[in-house]
Amino acid sequence: MRRALLLSVLCSSPAFAEEPPIVVTGSLDRPQAVRTGEQAALALSGRLEDLLATVPGLQQFRRSDSRSSNPTAQGITLRALGGNASSRTTVLLDGVPMADPFFGSVPLSALTPDRLGRVTVWNGGGAGAFSEGAVAGTIELVSEDPREAPRLAGAALVDDRGDSELSGTVSARLGTGGVSLGGRWDRGPGFWTTPVSQRVPASVRAAYESWSTSLRAAAPIAPDVELQLRGLVYDDHRTLRFAGADSSSTGQDASVRLLASGRWKVDALAWVQARNFSNVVISSTSFRKTLDQYGTPATGTGAKLELRPPVGGGHDLKLGLSWRRGAGETQEAAYSAVTGLVTVRRLAGGAQSVFAISLHDEIVSGDLTLSGGVRADRWSQSGGFFRETSAAGVVTTDNRFVNRSGWQASWRTRAALKLGEDATLFAAAYTGLRLPTLNELYRPFTVFPVTTRANAALANERLRGFEAGMTWQPATGISLGLTAFDNKVEGAIANVTIGTNLRERRNVDAVHARGIEASARAQLGTLSLRGALALTDAEVQASGVSATLNGKRPAQTARVSASGSAIWQPADGWTLSLLLRLTGAQFEDDLQVDSLAAATTLGATVELPLAKGFSLVLRGENLTGTQVVTRNQAGSIDLGVPRTVWAGVRVKLR
């Protein structure tokens, strides 16, 4: 059957599944493997962020999903190292960084679980190719191999509000190669994000419509050499809170990859991206348009080359070169909330690039495994500008910012010791680097009544961290894991309050997170049980003009997160799964004035066979009807997904 996806945060350990793993999660160099038979259907909304939410400690900037959030708020972070909307975790699809070149956000609606074959979550910093930005970790997405996929796979579902979800993938083997063409279309009136008590005539549901199409091909071109091609096109439209508050995001991605698996192993990759974003802001008092961000065109390009020479002696040596460049600008007009007329027009943007040289080696000697890596980044920020004109076209501000560049080194090291066949001890230390995004550097924004200024002088963030833990298999089918970690992001970029309804992006001294991650797994015949827990003490360390933040928890981060799942598969084609999630209390803002209450939700999926290749699917989100507050701006509330029930059919034909 088609590969399914299940995530649960697990400690760093060797894979113990006897059969090829489908989904891999974990941290650093030894993630945990999930058995092929565990078909979980735990993406209860059919969306990537819903699947990733089973990883405790993983957060978006807000709790909203990709139907009901602003796309630029879709930054992903691990281990409570957040505090603003940018990703501190690198997300890769078939080796290609997926973050928007301008905003740093991730196009979650375009990265659908039904087109993936493997997901890997690595906590902590790294020193490999494209690890710039991975100060909290890396999420690696791998598309399903077209040679192993069903000839036809798809689903059609509708929920109790009239939202619909239609997806399908056609795959074919071509000699020893293969090709897959997939698509997905989601649309619907959405749900109310505004509480009943705060609705006004201008309030509307979070309507949405998104589609994406992907093409993936793989073809051997010589013995032990394979060429892979991938393309992705997507379009996403959403309406948030008020009529006319519409956003759209579009993207076109293409990549080519060459893999050689002979004595000399080679991974060569090149890619290009084109992205755009638009957004209309509606006043919460006059309900007129106050901002039209009518375009944010951005482009990204990059390449990497990784060589693994046959050095022998128990060594696994990797030598790497990588380069990436992003450029973009925002184009927007501000309007008077009283008259509805244009007051100012703004253009802002720039470019940044990173060239890196990396080396990594792993040595296995009996029960001891040692690994270490170093990476040197040559980074640059160039062409930064901010231009503002009046409604009459008179230039009022024309700032050109100084180009900046430099070298920065990162490293990581790890040791793992097997204690017999049942237990492994490990320890790791690492550093990491993240450049401020073009959005953080050059674009101010307003979420009424708060204005946040950009800051072209922002310095790079740098991670220093270590962790230690163990995995233990006390009995067949049972696995336990425990990791303790201490991670500090020095120079962390935060939205710092500097006046009444005024914030500015600034480097604080650090965001320091210490905590424990625990996991448990039991395979009891046809029943699979999993549990995971993250307890994190995160605080901002700040001085000088940001001293008011010192000792406070970063915005939008919880002390506690947990998940538990049960998957029962009594016969071929039959699946019942339950997923319980807890997200602890959070603060909306840096000064800890507005809070978001803890929320526990329950989801379920039932799949029953109908005929050969066809099955009935019933799916429930937030079945307990828990009120999940996703935004609290001085009492102005947004809500997350309410109780939702889906029904439909799924097909898999080989």
Side-chain angles (χ1 to χ4, degrees):
M1 295 182 67
R2 180 184 173 92
R3 294 184 173 189
L5 302 176
L6 168 65
L7 285 170
S8 139
V9 70
L10 293 170
C11 300
S12 175
S13 71
F16 59 85
E18 294 84 2
E19 49 194 334
I22 291 301
V23 181
V24 184
T25 64
S27 64
L28 291 171
D29 302 325
R30 282 291 180 268
Q32 181 89 26
V34 175
R35 293 174 185 263
T36 303
E38 293 178 324
Q39 299 188 353
L42 290 181
L44 301 176
S45 69
R47 293 171 176 268
L48 180 64
E49 68 272 18
D50 194 57
L51 187 67
L52 293 175
T54 60
V55 180
L58 185 145
Q59 66 174 104
Q60 294 186 76
F61 179 63
R62 299 197 183 281
R63 300 172 177 179
S64 309
D65 69 2
S66 59
R67 292 167 290 190
S68 58
S69 65
N70 188 294
T72 63
Q74 292 176 176
I76 297 179
T77 298
L78 291 158
R79 290 185 168 171
L81 291 170
N84 64 15
S86 297
S87 289
R88 288 193 170 105
T89 298
T90 294
V91 178
L92 304 174
L93 174 61
D94 298 328
V96 177
M98 295 306 296
D100 184 277
F102 187 86
F103 291 103
S105 52
V106 180
L108 293 172
S109 64
L111 307 177
T112 58
D114 54 5
R115 296 200 291 260
L116 299 176
R118 190 178 79 233
V119 179
T120 308
V121 179
W122 312 79
N123 290 317
F130 293 146
S131 61
E132 179 273 319
V135 293
T138 301
I139 299 173
E140 182 182 6
L141 312 175
V142 177
S143 299
E144 186 169 36
D145 190 324
R147 290 161 293 196
E148 300 178 5
R151 289 183 293 109
L152 174 64
L157 296 97
V158 64
D159 73 6
D160 51 355
R161 292 186 299 270
D163 300 340
S164 60
E165 174 188 311
L166 182 65
S167 63
T169 302
V170 178
S171 302
R173 291 186 65 96
L174 302 175
T176 55
V179 62
S180 288
L181 177 64
R184 177 161 168 159
W185 180 33
D186 297 86
R187 65 184 298 273
F191 53 86
W192 287 102
T193 60
T194 308
V196 174
S197 61
Q198 297 184 3
R199 293 176 195 168
V200 296
S203 299
V204 295
R205 296 186 180 197
Y208 65 98
E209 181 171 13
S210 63
W211 62 264
S212 63
T213 300
S214 67
L215 175 68
R216 177 171 166 83
I221 59 175
D224 300 324
V225 180
E226 180 171 283
L227 182 67
Q228 297 180 355
L229 303 175
R230 184 184 62 82
L232 173 67
V233 179
Y234 67 87
D235 186 271
D236 188 335
H237 295 265
R238 309 176 197 178
T239 300
L240 303 178
R241 196 172 178 90
F242 298 119
D246 302 324
S247 67
S248 71
S249 56
T250 61
Q252 303 86 40
D253 295 9
S255 65
V256 58
R257 191 174 195 177
L258 186 72
L259 296 173
S261 56
R263 287 189 72 244
W264 279 76
K265 294 179 173 58
V266 179
D267 184 354
L269 171 68
W271 53 270
V272 62
Q273 298 167 331
R275 304 285 175 85
N276 203 353
F277 171 76
S278 67
N279 185 51
V280 174
V281 178
I282 300 296
S283 168
S284 60
T285 54
S286 69
F287 309 110
R288 293 178 179 268
K289 178 168 58 177
T290 58
L291 179 70
D292 185 358
Q293 189 178 354
Y294 53 86
T296 316
T299 58
T301 52
K304 83 163 184 178
L305 175 64
E306 185 175 86
L307 303 176
R308 299 174 66 179
V311 294
H315 290 261
D316 182 8
L317 180 65
K318 299 177 184 179
L319 307 173
L321 298 174
S322 64
W323 170 81
R324 60 189 294 190
R325 183 181 188 274
E329 67 176 34
T330 181
Q331 306 161 353
E332 56 191 59
Y335 292 75
S336 167
V338 177
T339 66
L341 300 177
V342 173
T343 56
V344 297
R345 300 184 186 276
R346 304 186 189 99
L347 293 174
Q352 57 185 195
S353 65
V354 178
F355 170 76
I357 305 171
S358 62
L359 180 149
H360 183 271
D361 191 20
E362 180 177 277
I363 306 171
V364 179
S365 177
D367 293 331
L368 179 64
T369 301
L370 300 175
S371 64
V374 294
R375 171 183 162 109
D377 289 274
R378 173 66 177 181
W379 60 269
S380 69
Q381 310 273 11
S382 61
F385 71 96
F386 177 83
R387 181 182 175 90
E388 189 172 80
T389 61
S390 68
V394 177
V395 176
T396 56
T397 304
D398 191 3
N399 293 331
R400 306 288 169 167
F401 302 110
V402 176
N403 294 344
R404 296 183 294 161
S405 62
W407 284 93
Q408 193 158 327
S410 304
W411 55 266
R412 72 178 180 195
T413 184
R414 181 183 185 275
L417 178 63
K418 292 185 64 175
L419 304 178
E421 296 297 322
D422 302 327
T424 300
L425 299 177
F426 64 89
Y430 38 78
T431 64
L433 164 72
R434 184 181 82 88
L435 274 63
T437 64
L438 299 176
N439 182 53
E440 291 169 321
L441 289 165
Y442 306 125
R443 180 184 176 264
F445 70 96
T446 299
V447 178
F448 186 83
V450 178
T451 295
T452 302
R453 295 175 178 171
N455 183 353
L458 288 171
N460 298 337
E461 295 182 342
R462 181 173 176 82
L463 168 74
R464 297 182 184 276
F466 61 90
E467 61 187 70
M470 70 174 298
T471 60
W472 180 39
Q473 298 174 48
T476 302
I478 297 177
S479 178
L480 306 175
L482 183 68
T483 302
F485 64 89
D486 188 312
N487 287 185
K488 178 184 286 189
V489 178
E490 298 173 345
I493 298 169
N495 299 332
V496 178
T497 299
I498 59 174
T500 303
N501 293 328
L502 182 62
R503 295 175 186 162
E504 184 176 63
R505 296 185 179 99
R506 291 184 175 177
N507 294 103
V508 298
D509 295 346
V511 170
H512 191 188
R514 293 163 288 192
I516 294 174
E517 296 164 343
S519 66
R521 162 183 161 172
Q523 187 69 45
L524 308 174
T526 58
L527 177 64
S528 176
L529 302 175
R530 286 180 174 271
L533 170 69
L535 302 175
T536 309
D537 179 19
E539 68 173 16
V540 177
Q541 297 177 351
S543 58
V545 294
S546 304
T548 54
L549 305 185
N550 192 54
K552 291 183 169 56
R553 199 189 324 164
Q556 304 289 335
T557 62
R559 293 186 187 275
V560 180
S561 64
S563 69
S565 67
I567 305 101
W568 182 44
Q569 296 174 297
D572 187 30
W574 294 72
T575 299
L576 170 63
S577 63
L578 298 174
L579 175 62
L580 186 69
R581 299 180 190 144
L582 164 66
T583 302
Q586 303 170 200
F587 289 105
E588 169 76 28
D589 61 315
D590 59 322
L591 296 180
Q592 300 187 357
V593 174
D594 301 316
S595 62
L596 309 174
T600 302
T601 60
L602 175 67
T605 299
V606 178
E607 185 168 355
L608 310 173
L610 296 175
K612 184 176 181 180
F614 290 83
S615 60
L616 171 68
V617 177
L618 301 175
R619 201 168 68 194
E621 303 175 65
N622 192 8
L623 292 175
T624 55
T626 302
Q627 178 174 283
V628 181
V629 178
T630 62
R631 185 187 67 91
N632 178 7
Q633 193 86 44
S636 176
I637 300 294
D638 281 346
L639 302 177
V641 180
R643 181 186 294 111
T644 304
V645 178
W646 294 80
V649 294
R650 180 173 292 152
V651 58
K652 296 178 183 178
L653 300 176
R654 291 197 175 273

